[in-house]
Amino acid sequence: MNRLIKTILLLSVCFNFAYGQERSPIFTQDQLLWYIENYHPIAQQGKLLIDQGESSVRAARGGFDPKLFANLDQKQFDEKEYYSILNSGLKIPTWYGLEFKTGFEQNRGVYLNPENKVPNGGLWYGGVSVSLGQGLFIDQRRAELQKAKVFASSTVAEQRALMNELYFDAIKQYWKWVQAYNEYQVYEESVTLAVTRFTAVKNSYLLGDKPAIDTLEAKIQVQNRELARNEYRLAYQNATLELSNYLWFENNTPLEITDELRPPLFDEIELNNTTSFDTLQTFVNAVPSAHPDMQVYQFKLSSLEIDRKLKAEKIKPKLNLNYNFLSEPVGDSFLNNVSNQNYKWGIEFSLPIFLREQRGNLQLAKYKIENTTFGQRQKQLEIENKVLSYFNEHVALREQVEIYRNAVNNYSSLLEGERIKFNIGESSLFLVNSRESSLIEARLKAIALVSKYNISSAGINYASGRLYR
């Protein structure tokens, strides 16, 4: 898809943006984030994380699926059927460690082992297996399902953390783009003013009102500002390309920002309200439970706790009990043959004498939990300090923005007065250029501060994990 088509796609979506904004060539931060959430490849990867979590739960639930089984073992030799052993049935595992089983045996043969002998019509059986020691409260199958559910929940937090980071990176680049555009506009205007002044000074020189040196100074001023304008134009073009990295459309189609769209001008930028200290405290207090990075830690601890419980369970002795009732399927008397006199049962017991492997694994599981807890505490402190840092920067920048906005107005008044004096011959071109240069520097500083202020405003939400909700 060529550049023109990609631009038309971008414009058409912007003009029909879901927020119902009026048609405008201004590309806003909200529009940028809308594109990112819906089309950016990293956003799509985040959605895949959630799908992976759901798939892991589905796979773990498979450990509790009923299973059909069948075994057939036959031996033929010297024209004799030594034995034919058939065992088939259905196993139904349950969450509480019970396993129900029903099946059918039909065995025959000249040399059939006597313990495998069954009636000619076969033998039905049904029963239950239960772990009364190790595996009573948790086993590998239940542990895997619990960990899969924890993983599924953690993928939601990981997706939020991923999008939180992506949003903030995009917002920082957006305001760099806005800053570069407004800086370029300042020098575009300054070149126009310098050219106009050069023309006026040149005409005054031709009329004999100004010395020739003034025309040279005015010309040098034009050249210097044209050079600066070209540098700022290059910076704006590169910032535009950097921002375009975040713009995608359907079918993984990259978009480009061209001259049909522009950032807001300095006077069009509305500053966000300063975050209050009470709001900040709410954000900080919510970090342990609401921040996605902290949630990931909590889910990791939950998974490790499941491992610890499983390791602790393996210290118990194995004590498995099996019971099956038996019945010969003979005509209508099948149910009558179900009797407590026909059964098969067994018990299995085992216990390592020293339990060194089990106790060692349990201690390792505890160390992992302790190590992760230390990391969680350190991460919480870092996050809280980062929130406070962005808040301090946010408050300081708000004050600086107001100061420099007033400074720009004062420099503008000073320049206007100097121009009036210059026009009536009471000032010099040098002083006019000096006043104008001071105004340009003040405007550039004000633009940079507004950009930093909006980044710091987003930074508070980013640091507290609230930028993507």
Side-chain angles (χ1 to χ4, degrees):
M1 183 177 292
N2 61 38
R3 180 170 180 165
L4 176 60
I5 295 177
K6 287 188 280 188
T7 303
I8 291 174
L9 279 172
L10 181 56
L11 285 169
S12 65
V13 176
C14 284
F15 292 158
N16 295 282
F17 193 61
Y19 297 131
Q21 297 172 339
E22 296 179 358
R23 294 173 64 92
S24 169
I26 298 176
F27 187 55
T28 67
Q29 177 181 300
D30 286 341
Q31 289 172 331
L32 170 66
L33 298 182
W34 182 83
Y35 272 103
I36 290 174
E37 181 178 7
N38 288 280
Y39 301 113
H40 197 282
I42 293 180
Q44 304 307 314
Q45 290 175 347
K47 295 175 182 177
L48 287 178
L49 275 176
I50 297 177
D51 293 340
Q52 289 174 10
E54 294 174 352
S55 296
S56 69
V57 173
R58 188 180 303 112
R61 290 187 189 279
F64 296 90
D65 288 345
K67 296 180 181 179
L68 292 170
F69 66 91
N71 298 311
L72 177 61
D73 191 14
Q74 293 182 331
K75 181 178 180 180
Q76 294 282 130
F77 184 74
D78 195 23
E79 298 182 352
K80 296 178 182 178
E81 183 180 47
Y82 271 53
Y83 57 81
S84 174
I85 301 175
L86 171 65
N87 184 15
S88 61
L90 173 68
K91 293 181 180 180
I92 306 175
T94 68
W95 174 259
Y96 298 100
L98 295 172
E99 183 176 81
F100 295 97
K101 179 166 61 173
T102 182
F104 176 73
E105 289 186 25
Q106 190 170 45
N107 309 323
R108 64 179 182 273
V110 178
Y111 300 109
L112 182 68
N113 192 320
E115 70 177 19
N116 292 326
K117 187 175 180 180
V118 296
N120 293 333
L123 186 68
W124 286 100
Y125 64 89
V128 63
S129 299
V130 59
S131 298
L132 299 177
Q134 184 182 128
L136 177 61
F137 297 107
I138 189 171
D139 55 24
Q140 189 67 43
R141 185 162 46 196
R142 280 178 278 179
E144 290 299 327
L145 180 54
Q146 289 178 10
K147 289 170 66 176
K149 290 180 178 179
V150 171
F151 174 70
S153 299
S154 71
T155 57
V156 177
E158 289 175 7
Q159 189 251 1
R160 282 186 57 217
L162 192 70
M163 292 299 295
N164 194 56
E165 194 77 32
L166 178 61
Y167 268 23
F168 190 52
D169 289 342
I171 289 172
K172 287 189 292 185
Q173 188 56 49
Y174 175 81
W175 286 106
K176 289 179 182 178
W177 179 60
V178 173
Q179 178 180 345
Y181 177 76
N182 280 277
E183 290 172 341
Y184 168 60
Q185 291 301 312
V186 167
Y187 269 95
E188 187 72 45
E189 295 172 12
S190 71
V191 168
T192 302
L193 291 173
V195 170
T196 302
R197 185 174 302 111
F198 169 70
T199 303
V201 171
K202 183 179 179 181
N203 291 335
S204 296
Y205 162 71
L206 294 175
L207 294 173
D209 294 334
K210 299 291 182 183
I213 192 68
D214 282 357
T215 62
L216 179 59
E217 183 177 350
K219 181 62 177 177
I220 292 174
Q221 192 69 22
V222 170
Q223 293 171 334
N224 287 337
R225 291 185 181 177
E226 285 179 338
L227 180 61
R229 178 191 61 182
N230 292 341
E231 291 176 354
Y232 279 100
R233 179 169 57 197
L234 176 62
Y236 169 61
Q237 290 171 343
N238 289 338
T240 301
L241 292 175
E242 290 291 331
L243 186 61
S244 295
N245 291 334
Y246 295 92
L247 291 172
W248 295 79
F249 200 60
E250 294 176 350
N251 302 319
N252 293 323
T253 304
L255 299 178
E256 295 176 0
I257 300 175
T258 57
D259 294 338
E260 286 79 4
L261 291 177
R262 66 167 177 84
L265 294 171
F266 182 76
D267 293 335
E268 297 171 335
I269 298 173
E270 295 183 2
L271 297 181
N272 297 326
N273 294 328
T274 304
T275 303
S276 66
F277 185 77
D278 290 339
T279 302
L280 174 71
Q281 283 301 121
T282 301
F283 287 175
V284 172
N285 293 337
V287 163
S289 59
H291 197 287
D293 288 347
M294 298 305 299
Q295 289 175 345
V296 169
Y297 263 103
Q298 192 57 51
F299 289 129
K300 185 175 182 180
L301 284 171
S302 297
S303 182
L304 291 174
E305 178 62 20
I306 294 171
D307 280 335
R308 187 202 65 78
K309 289 180 179 179
L310 185 61
K311 298 294 192 301
E313 188 75 9
K314 291 187 177 180
I315 291 181
K316 298 177 182 179
K318 286 184 178 180
L319 182 60
N320 300 326
L321 177 65
N322 301 296
Y323 177 83
N324 294 306
F325 66 83
L326 306 175
S327 174
E328 180 181 0
V330 181
D332 297 334
S333 63
F334 171 71
L335 294 178
N336 295 330
N337 289 327
V338 178
S339 170
N340 57 10
Q341 300 299 318
N342 300 321
Y343 61 87
K344 176 183 177 183
W345 79 284
I347 189 169
E348 175 189 0
F349 174 83
S350 67
L351 176 67
I353 295 177
F354 298 113
L355 294 171
R356 285 180 289 195
E357 179 183 357
Q358 291 79 2
R359 288 187 288 111
N361 288 336
L362 178 59
Q363 194 61 47
L364 286 174
K366 292 179 179 179
Y367 287 151
K368 288 181 180 179
I369 292 175
E370 189 174 1
N371 184 57
T372 303
T373 301
F374 288 144
Q376 182 188 37
R377 292 171 181 169
Q378 177 64 27
K379 187 66 174 180
Q380 180 178 337
L381 179 62
E382 291 175 358
I383 291 173
E384 290 174 352
N385 286 337
K386 183 181 287 188
V387 174
L388 294 172
S389 175
Y390 274 115
F391 175 77
N392 293 336
E393 183 181 6
H394 180 66
V395 173
L397 285 170
R398 181 66 188 232
E399 295 176 358
Q400 294 178 39
V401 167
E402 295 301 326
I403 291 172
Y404 262 87
R405 279 186 162 175
N406 291 329
V408 168
N409 294 331
N410 292 335
Y411 276 119
S412 297
S413 299
L414 196 60
L415 174 61
E416 186 60 29
E418 202 67 47
R419 284 174 179 168
I420 294 173
K421 291 171 64 178
F422 177 75
N423 291 334
I424 62 177
E426 294 182 1
S427 182
S428 65
L429 182 60
F430 174 79
L431 287 175
V432 172
N433 288 335
S434 178
R435 301 295 189 199
E436 200 166 71
S437 295
S438 298
L439 174 59
I440 290 172
E441 291 176 5
R443 290 180 65 186
L444 294 177
K445 183 66 174 178
I447 291 168
L449 288 172
V450 168
S451 175
K452 290 179 180 179
Y453 173 81
N454 282 286
I455 290 175
S456 69
S457 180
I460 296 174
N461 289 316
Y462 159 72
S464 57
R466 295 171 174 269
L467 198 55
Y468 177 82
R469 301 300 296 272

